[in-house]
Amino acid sequence: MQSIVRSTFGSGTGPDHLLVNAMLLNIALIIFGWRRYRDLTKEIAERRKAEETARKLAETDPLTECLNRRSMERTTNELRRVSNDYGQAVAFVMIDLDNFKQVNDMNGHGIGDRVLTSLAEQLRQCLPGGTPLARLGGDEFAFAISYDPSNPARVDDIVSKLFESVCGGIDLDGTTIHCTMSIGIASDHSSQSRNDAITDGEKLMHRADIAMYQAKKSGKNRHFWFQSTVENELRFRNELEAGIRRGVRNGEFVPYYEQQIDLDSGELVGFEMLARWNTPDMGVVNPEIFIPIAEEIGVIGELSEQLMVQAFDDAKEWDPKLTLSVNISPVQMRDRWFSQRLLKLLFEHNFPAQRLEIEITETCLHENIGLVRSMISSLRNQGVKVSLDDFGTGYASLSQLRTLPFDRIKIDRSFVRELNYRDSSKIVDAIVSLGNGLEMPITAEGIENEAILETLRRMGQLKGQGYLYGHPEPAVRVIERLRGQGRLSKAGENRNDSGAVTDELADQRRA
């Protein structure tokens, strides 16, 4: 630098060019290093910000900024660890909006999102500070809170505040959206001590979900504490569902037959087919247990068709004058192709349509009466008879009875049983008179003793069935009964071993 200064003022020789270049290179490296340090510092800050954003997105719900399901489970486990160390219990509370789909359908998903955001804010205001709040998905929220095991009423008080906050509706730009909630509560402590069955937050969340399901089942807009009996019921229900699906695949459902009698002559005129489930571990199960579940899980159509195929084959061996009645589920009547499938089964199994009578309940008339009328007409045009089952227990109107082409009315057994008591025949009298006026034959169910039989005989020409004539029987017993009466078809008379079924099939059906 001194040489440069002296050279500048003309009092010395010029600087060494090598040293000058080295100096300039050092200066350039210092400037480059400083700029690189500044860029790296900025890059690290941006990366930390991105990582924080990613962490937040991974742990929170972007719409409501509540915790999500994964982070809520971890947070609940941490809360349990700390609370249990101090002898406190932890309650996990699950909240589900009732009928939230209607809010979306009527107002749009944008309004639905605003309802969820507003609800999350109301929940925060009602909960004690620091309470972890999560949106588990859809319209489900949850929070976890510690409390004194001897004072669970504190949790009830908080839940009551939530109901009070939401019951007035959610105001959005002058429009009030009314919502109700179903709330389930599960605790990691019993009334006496810590519940060792609760091993983690996931189990606690599962039990709260079960309790919330029970709250909905009990009428919605209420809260329900978890009870082990409800969990056992759900477990049994799941086992039944799996068993029904397996039973349909394995052909475990078999038809039983109940006699139908002409009350005046006492002559056997037909049979009603009733479903039974012949399970390997529970024995024979009545339809009151499995039919509603089969309807809910969507296998009732396949199950019913399997039974009808068996019944058609069985009835071919009876006297051709005997009719076969089959109950049809309201779920099947929602299928617009049901009548075509039934007629196809009749054709494939060569069973005369004139011998078949299907029974539908009044429930079918209120779901799609136009479709029901079309299917009834289609079946009757091919010779199938259609009766209205359990008449009097639903909401069938006189106009529907007059306009729908029914062939028969069946009086529900609950009315027939009342004939055991004096002056209790007015309803049955009215139904019989209605049938006579509409020119519809009547069948009375639930005839259990001679007194009921005599009362019904005085009312007119009726057909009846009930335990007075015997309990429902498997096919092999029916064959034995008809052989004794000489009322088998030629096919039935020509069976091997004088009509006996194979030992294996006989044992199965007798079971």
Side-chain angles (χ1 to χ4, degrees):
M1 290 296 295
Q2 292 176 355
S3 299
I4 293 174
V5 172
R6 287 195 298 268
S7 176
T8 300
F9 290 100
S11 60
T13 60
D16 187 329
H17 293 289
L18 181 61
L19 294 176
V20 170
N21 289 336
M23 182 188 68
L24 293 176
L25 179 60
N26 285 332
I27 294 173
L29 289 173
I30 292 172
I31 293 173
F32 176 78
W34 174 78
R35 292 185 62 182
R36 182 58 180 161
Y37 172 77
R38 185 188 64 180
D39 292 342
L40 284 174
T41 303
K42 182 179 180 181
E43 182 179 346
I44 291 173
E46 291 178 349
R47 181 174 296 179
R48 287 176 176 172
K49 183 178 179 181
E51 290 175 352
E52 178 63 22
T53 301
R55 185 194 64 78
K56 184 177 180 180
L57 291 175
E59 295 182 352
T60 62
D61 169 55
L63 177 64
T64 61
E65 297 185 354
C66 297
L67 299 176
N68 59 21
R69 179 179 290 272
R70 178 189 298 178
S71 57
M72 186 61 181
E73 181 181 342
R74 185 181 65 253
T75 302
T76 302
N77 284 329
E78 294 174 355
L79 179 62
R80 289 187 64 239
R81 178 177 55 80
V82 174
S83 300
N84 293 161
D85 288 343
Y86 287 92
Q88 295 286 299
V90 171
F92 191 93
V93 182
M94 186 169 291
I95 305 165
D96 186 85
L97 289 179
D98 299 323
N99 304 318
F100 182 69
K101 184 178 183 299
Q102 295 182 5
V103 175
N104 281 330
D105 292 343
M106 295 178 61
N107 302 281
H109 288 273
I111 295 296
D113 289 346
R114 294 180 62 187
V115 169
L116 295 176
T117 304
S118 178
L119 175 63
E121 186 58 33
Q122 289 187 15
L123 294 178
R124 289 190 184 96
Q125 294 175 3
C126 293
L127 297 177
T131 301
L133 174 65
R135 180 188 176 208
L136 303 182
D139 58 344
E140 282 189 355
F141 291 83
F143 66 89
I145 189 169
S146 60
Y147 69 97
D148 186 343
S150 64
N151 185 28
R154 177 173 181 263
V155 181
D156 291 317
D157 292 339
I158 294 175
V159 170
S160 297
K161 291 180 181 179
L162 299 182
F163 279 112
E164 293 174 2
S165 175
V166 176
C167 69
I170 298 175
D171 187 24
L172 300 176
D173 301 331
T175 301
T176 302
I177 305 295
H178 292 281
C179 297
T180 60
M181 302 182 300
S182 296
I183 297 179
I185 309 171
S187 172
D188 63 352
H189 281 60
S190 65
S191 58
Q192 290 84 20
S193 61
R194 180 176 176 181
N195 187 346
D196 295 329
I198 299 295
T199 57
D200 53 31
E202 182 181 4
K203 180 68 173 179
L204 198 59
M205 293 169 67
H206 173 66
R207 290 191 167 185
D209 191 38
I210 292 175
M212 185 266 292
Y213 166 81
Q214 185 66 21
K216 283 188 174 294
K217 184 180 178 181
S218 301
K220 302 179 180 179
N221 196 28
R222 64 195 64 207
H223 73 282
F224 197 90
W225 282 82
F226 170 80
Q227 295 179 355
S228 58
T229 54
V230 177
E231 186 177 27
N232 294 334
E233 290 174 4
L234 287 178
R235 185 178 295 110
F236 179 65
R237 165 63 183 255
N238 291 335
E239 292 174 355
L240 277 179
E241 289 184 7
I244 289 171
R245 295 182 190 277
R246 182 191 64 247
V248 172
R249 291 194 304 268
N250 298 339
E252 296 175 1
F253 294 93
V254 294
Y256 273 49
Y257 301 97
E258 183 175 6
Q259 299 178 71
Q260 294 180 327
I261 306 295
D262 181 279
L263 299 189
D264 280 343
S265 64
E267 180 184 0
L268 175 67
V269 294
F271 292 91
E272 178 181 356
M273 184 198 76
L274 302 171
R276 294 292 186 269
W277 181 15
N278 191 6
T279 65
D281 47 359
M282 293 187 295
V284 178
V285 180
N286 286 331
E288 290 81 4
I289 296 176
F290 63 83
I291 289 294
I293 300 177
E295 291 176 337
E296 291 181 20
I297 65 178
V299 300
I300 187 63
E302 183 180 359
L303 189 158
S304 178
E305 289 183 10
Q306 286 184 5
L307 290 171
M308 282 192 284
V309 168
Q310 296 180 61
F312 294 160
D313 291 339
D314 291 337
K316 289 178 186 178
E317 302 178 12
W318 308 342
D319 183 339
K321 295 180 181 179
L322 296 176
T323 61
L324 172 67
S325 297
V326 177
N327 291 285
I328 302 300
S329 164
V331 176
Q332 293 174 270
M333 296 299 291
R334 297 171 192 158
D335 179 8
R336 61 182 63 254
W337 300 107
F338 166 74
S339 57
Q340 285 83 348
R341 280 210 298 274
L342 177 56
L343 294 173
K344 181 181 178 182
L345 285 178
L346 290 171
F347 175 78
E348 290 176 345
H349 294 272
N350 194 29
F351 188 77
Q354 292 75 15
R355 291 184 62 191
L356 178 64
E357 179 178 306
I358 67 168
E359 302 178 2
I360 66 175
T361 62
E362 296 180 29
T363 307
C364 302
L365 307 182
H366 303 281
E367 297 183 353
N368 191 338
I369 190 169
L371 177 61
V372 172
R373 179 183 288 109
S374 174
M375 287 192 289
I376 291 177
S377 299
S378 176
L379 293 171
R380 294 185 77 247
N381 288 338
Q382 300 300 319
V384 178
K385 294 181 175 58
V386 182
S387 64
L388 182 60
D389 195 15
D390 298 336
F391 181 73
T393 60
Y395 304 95
S397 65
L398 294 179
S399 62
Q400 290 172 337
L401 285 178
R402 183 169 53 86
T403 58
L404 289 173
F406 288 111
D407 295 289
R408 179 174 294 274
I409 296 175
K410 296 192 71 174
I411 307 175
D412 185 70
R413 66 184 67 248
S414 61
F415 298 125
V416 175
R417 288 196 186 106
E418 293 296 320
L419 297 178
N420 283 311
Y421 308 101
R422 178 179 294 182
D423 299 329
S424 58
S425 63
K426 294 181 180 179
I427 294 179
V428 177
D429 272 331
I431 296 175
V432 172
S433 298
L434 178 63
N436 292 335
L438 297 173
E439 297 182 352
M440 287 187 188
I442 303 291
T443 296
E445 298 180 294
I447 302 175
E448 297 180 354
N449 54 55
E450 291 289 344
I452 293 177
L453 176 60
E454 290 303 319
T455 302
L456 289 171
R457 280 175 175 170
R458 290 194 296 268
M459 293 182 179
Q461 296 182 348
L462 307 178
K463 188 164 73 173
Q465 59 189 86
Y467 293 162
L468 177 64
Y469 301 104
H471 289 262
E473 301 172 324
V476 64
R477 297 285 180 82
V478 172
I479 292 296
E480 293 173 358
R481 178 184 299 278
L482 295 180
R483 180 179 296 107
Q485 298 176 3
R487 301 197 62 181
L488 288 177
S489 67
K490 291 183 179 180
E493 293 174 350
N494 293 333
R495 300 180 73 187
N496 292 334
D497 297 329
S498 301
V501 295
T502 63
D503 293 340
E504 180 180 358
L505 183 59
D507 291 341
Q508 177 184 359
R509 290 188 171 177
R510 286 179 186 276

